[in-house]
Amino acid sequence: MTEPRRAINQDVGNESIRTGLSEESIRLAFLDNLFYVQGRFLEVASLNDKFKALAYTVRDRLLHRWVSTIHTYQQVNPRTVCYLSAEYLPGPFLGNNLLTLGIVDSTRRALAGLGINLDDLIEHEEEPGLGNGGLGRLAACFMDSLATLQIPAISYGIRYEFGIFNQVIKDGSQIETTDKWLRYGNPWEVRRPSIAYNVKLGGYTEQYTDDQGHFRVRWLPNETFHGVAIDTPILGYGVNTVNLLRLWTTEAAEAFDFHTFNRGDYEGAVVRSVRSSTISKVLYPNDEPEIGKRLRLLQQYFFVTCSLQDMLRIHRTTGMSLERFHEKFSIQLNDTHPAIAVAELMRLLVDEQHMEWDAAWHITQSTFAYTNHTLMPEALEKWSVPLFRSLLPRHLEIIYEINARFLDEVRLRYPFESGHAERLSIIDETDPRYVRMAHLACVGSFAINGVAELHSRLLMETVLRDFYDLWPAKFQNKTNGVTPRHFMMLSNPGLASLLTETIGSDWKNDLSNLRALEQHADDPTFQECWRRVKRERKKALASTIAKLCSVSIELDSLYDVQAKRIHEYKRQHLNVLHIVTLYERIKLNPGIEITPRTFIFGGKAAPGYAMAKLMIQLVNAVGDVVNRDHDVAGRLKVVFLPNFSVKLGYGVYPAADLSQQISTAGKEASGTGNMKFSMNGALTIGTLDGANVEIREEVGAENFFLFGLNAEEVSRTLSEGYRPWEIYNGNPELKSVIDLIGCGFFSHGDRGVFQPLIDNLTRNDPYLVLADYAAYIACQDLVSAAYRDTAHWTRMSILNVARMGKFSSDRTIAEYCRDIWRATPTPVEL
Ligand code: NBG
């Protein structure tokens, strides 16, 4: 048996094995944790035991930096950013924490000495799927950048027991299964039972006069439970700053009701405790929110009140007066999910801290800033007034009061126009009435931003136009970014070392330094290395695909990838129309010269979104026929990667040759996958939508495949009475493609399966798939031709990477700090 040595006070040379970074310290710490935490010795340890022992070993090193961070903050009392987000998608932690600590190699050697392969342990980790897509992943990139830029920050959210569902593909269709990410425990988190807050629900309010004769309101809820903090340390790259991801979980305030219990109603006694513990149970799997789900409003209120109470507690420890709350904290609302915070902070200040309304409102309006992430009208959250009143009666009163004062201001501003008050009101006065969360967020915030230039402009011109007219100075743009640590260094180590060998390592903390690559873009030797890196990643993805989809793909084919949530506006069906177009061309003309392509799809459909699920079925149905057809063998393959996740993404982005960013112009707020692909040397085929516009500006029009209507043309086309039926009839190639799908060719002769999709495209087509079809096909033909000129393609690929500096989330966070949060770096010494 391998003898573990006791850790505490155990030194190796002059290192403690709890904190040391040398190979020997890590090896001993690993054995120690395996024995004393997992209760195992090496010979009988399972893969999970080893993974956990290593995770604890790494976490020890994080905790050490965490304590130093807290000490520093206690001394300096810095301004702190609080990010409120209902979703986080951090990906697996092990690989990233090793990278940020700079101990990948020493750990690899330490484990190798024990006969363990580090990659097996990294691969074993299940990621927390606490988000749906771009919004949650953006929050995770921001955490990485905040810590790396040494900005004091707390990210608040919900620790869902079940995250985003697992997607299984059965007979070509999506089946959802439960995500049990906590099944084997989560070694990264630290539960804080002493950091817990009361959460009230329902009931009614009561007015009273206090001892000093002040008018007050109290809320008498009919239910109370607890939110408990569960913390995960987030270490910055190359620095000692450890920020906090603080997620709340529910607990019944009393384990069960003893009164009921003593009456002999044992079951009734536990019911209440069961009910409240369901609040943080499960993530809503819609990437655009749906209206009116009671549990969802509960979740939002739950995490918001715990977070605000926590900030008030921290604020008290600083000794600052309550009036200076907004000097200590800047709170960012990640979309409208946490917008109830505006009313909740007012309630805490006015009802519980007995502050005057005006003073409280000043603090509230100086604290919050709001980021909008979508223009889709159906995604603008609203809650029916009756539902709202039944759960949060006091908040409804507060919102009415905020609204009354706000509308007085509006009427003063527009004395002769009544329409403004109605349009701006926080309450939508239809029957039943609704609380408009975006309006609450706008009124309660000092800054409002979109996530890409085009999106911010469209916000000001359309959805939030009246607010923009009223308060133009509140509006800003903050173009999204992604972290190069996760999406280059961690996921594409081969590329990272090539970059470092070629231009030094300064790019890791300042991505604009990648510009230095430009001078190598035409160098044949460098190009050769570049292609070798890409080929390695393509090979790795091919083996993943072989494993997950049982399809073998050609390494030399063009990997044409679309990985993102499945949605009509993202237009995965446009992609499919192109595939079928190529397929038909080959069938009609078997000798035709075609650039071999592998079409790779990934992404989940919301379980209740029938059309999106049908799109998945279509991809698989087409793949099923194409992949078996000998006429196209070696030229076309179509695969759908099941259960796309951050972890799978790490394998996909670096392997892509072509990145599909083909949403209807004006619909995709920003996109962030577009950045991850381009940063890894994929070229983009895309519309002028979201951040595509800026990516194209940066990499150069000649290194980007642009097609399709722009946002203005899209709205003009729709307003002039769009007739997709005429386009279908006017384009023989398109007609034949749609007819091939419609006649059951891809569905074993069943004409019914895809009919809803075809009807939608030919009769309605709200996302202008047919309007953009011809331009898309022509552009894809250019892509095919370009891919055959290897040297030129490689040059474009290099230039894409060289010019992606703007899209580091470090740049985004630096802008938020400068223009919104007024936060500055606070370095931490060990
Ligand atoms: C998404 C947008 C994306 C954007 C991310 C991050 C929502 C509500 N919005 O385009 O669809 O990149 O937010 O900003 O999830």
Side-chain angles (χ1 to χ4, degrees), residues 36-78:
Y36 286 103
V37 183
Q38 284 306 104
R40 282 274 191 264
F41 50 93
L42 200 52
E43 287 74 4
V44 299
S46 67
L47 187 59
N48 191 56
D49 292 324
K50 294 175 202 163
F51 160 71
K52 276 191 150 174
L54 182 61
Y56 287 121
T57 302
V58 173
R59 195 183 78 176
D60 289 341
R61 280 133 188 92
L62 297 183
L63 293 181
H64 175 50
R65 285 160 180 76
W66 191 353
V67 170
S68 306
T69 306
I70 292 169
H71 280 156
T72 306
Y73 294 174
Q74 278 173 340
Q75 281 155 17
V76 183
N77 186 21

Side-chain angles (χ1 to χ4, degrees), residues 125-136:
E125 183 173 359
E126 208 168 325
E127 72 180 72
L130 309 184
N132 273 287
L135 174 138

Side-chain angles (χ1 to χ4, degrees), residues 711-733:
E712 279 66 37
E713 290 161 345
V714 164
S715 46
R716 203 178 326 124
T717 306
L718 288 172
S719 70
E720 284 170 355
Y722 171 54
R723 281 183 293 275
W725 184 254
E726 288 174 12
I727 301 183
Y728 160 74
N729 277 304
N731 183 333
E733 195 163 46

Side-chain angles (χ1 to χ4, degrees), residues 480-499:
N480 285 166
V482 302
T483 163
R485 269 77 60 186
H486 293 216
F487 291 102
M488 297 181 79
M489 297 169 65
L490 187 61
S491 56
N492 203 346
L495 178 66
S497 6
L498 177 61
L499 295 175

Side-chain angles (χ1 to χ4, degrees), residues 136 293 360 642 783:
K293 292 279 194 271
V783 170

Side-chain angles (χ1 to χ4, degrees), residues 87 132-136 138 287-289 334-335 337 371-374 379 451 480 569-570 667-674 690:
E87 302 191 4
N132 273 287
L135 174 138
L138 183 78
D287 92 294
E288 316 287 353
N334 196 26
D335 218 295
H337 317 152
T371 304
N372 172 293
H373 293 266
T374 182
V451 290
N480 285 166
Y569 85 78
K570 296 177 189 278
K667 300 294 180 202
E668 188 70 88
S670 160
T672 43
N674 45 5

Side-chain angles (χ1 to χ4, degrees), residues 652-665:
V652 169
Y653 301 115
D657 293 305
L658 187 67
S659 147
Q660 297 236 22
Q661 307 300 335
I662 60 177
S663 51
T664 316

